[in-house]
Amino acid sequence: MTENEKNMALRAGASFCASMPKGEALGAILEALSARYLGERALRAGDEVLLLGNITASERDLLHRNGLQAVSAEKGLVHALSPATRMVMFGTAGAEASALRAARNFCNDFELWLIVDARKAQFCCEFDGEIYPAAAVGDFSIVSDEEGEYIVTRDVQLYRLLPQIAPKNKK
């Protein structure tokens, strides 16, 4: 990781960070989560992604271009859950910590991926007495600063699946 990536990981409460050109973070995450290495948890065409919070039209479009079905979960995650559900996307703009905490717990209960768009996160979450920045709650989270966009994660194996990192690991 570069010095800038290390600093962003530290600010986000994550262990690993990869810088991205603006607008490319979600695509890189989708590619990483499609890896065969993930077995049954890998994303496949036709899988459903439950959307909570502020998810943009371009992000929805990217999900569709990757063969995924975007499903609104505004009426509740349990209500939107189906056997085809593999992932939850959580937009933090205007959201509350309790909603993100509930989404993390839901994903843990049903073995779903949680992607957090933390570019506009203004809160932290408490789990088991520990306080975490919103970006540290997702399996992958997207954060940004004036220099660009970043993907952060606390999981080294997920980090190594990112397309920008994977080629470096093959050398």
Side-chain angles (χ1 to χ4, degrees), residues 20-171:
M20 301 282 126
K22 283 219 183 261
E24 294 187 18
L26 180 56
I29 290 170
L30 295 177
E31 186 176 335
L33 293 179
S34 297
R36 285 187 216 153
Y37 160 82
L38 296 171
E40 288 296 313
R41 293 200 66 206
L43 295 178
R44 291 181 273 296
D47 284 347
E48 292 179 353
V49 178
L50 305 184
L51 307 178
L52 276 174
N54 188 13
I55 307 299
T56 67
S58 62
E59 290 168 329
R60 290 173 191 260
D61 184 56
L62 184 58
L63 293 171
H64 288 290
R65 283 183 290 163
N66 279 274
L68 302 170
Q69 304 301 312
V71 176
S72 173
E74 295 305 321
K75 292 183 179 178
L77 288 165
V78 173
H79 178 72
L81 183 67
S82 83
T85 304
R86 292 283 174 274
M87 184 170 94
V88 173
M89 266 186 77
F90 189 96
T92 59
E96 294 184 14
S98 60
L100 181 55
R101 186 174 41 255
R104 173 75 276 167
N105 290 335
F106 178 83
C107 288
N108 289 348
D109 291 347
F110 291 96
E111 296 185 6
L112 305 173
W113 299 113
L114 176 61
I115 308 307
V116 177
D117 181 345
R119 288 175 279 200
K120 294 186 167 95
Q122 300 295 317
F123 58 83
C124 293
C125 286
E126 186 244 326
F127 289 91
D128 300 323
E130 297 288 324
I131 304 295
Y132 297 93
V137 176
D139 294 302
F140 280 122
S141 294
I142 303 169
V143 296
S144 64
D145 66 11
E146 58 282 342
E147 295 185 33
E149 210 168 69
Y150 305 86
I151 298 172
V152 296
T153 184
R154 297 183 323 164
D155 187 317
V156 67
Q157 290 167 324
L158 290 179
Y159 173 72
R160 289 181 178 150
L161 290 174
L162 289 171
Q164 292 72 11
I165 305 305
K168 296 176 189 174
N169 291 330
K170 292 179 183 172
K171 291 180 180 177

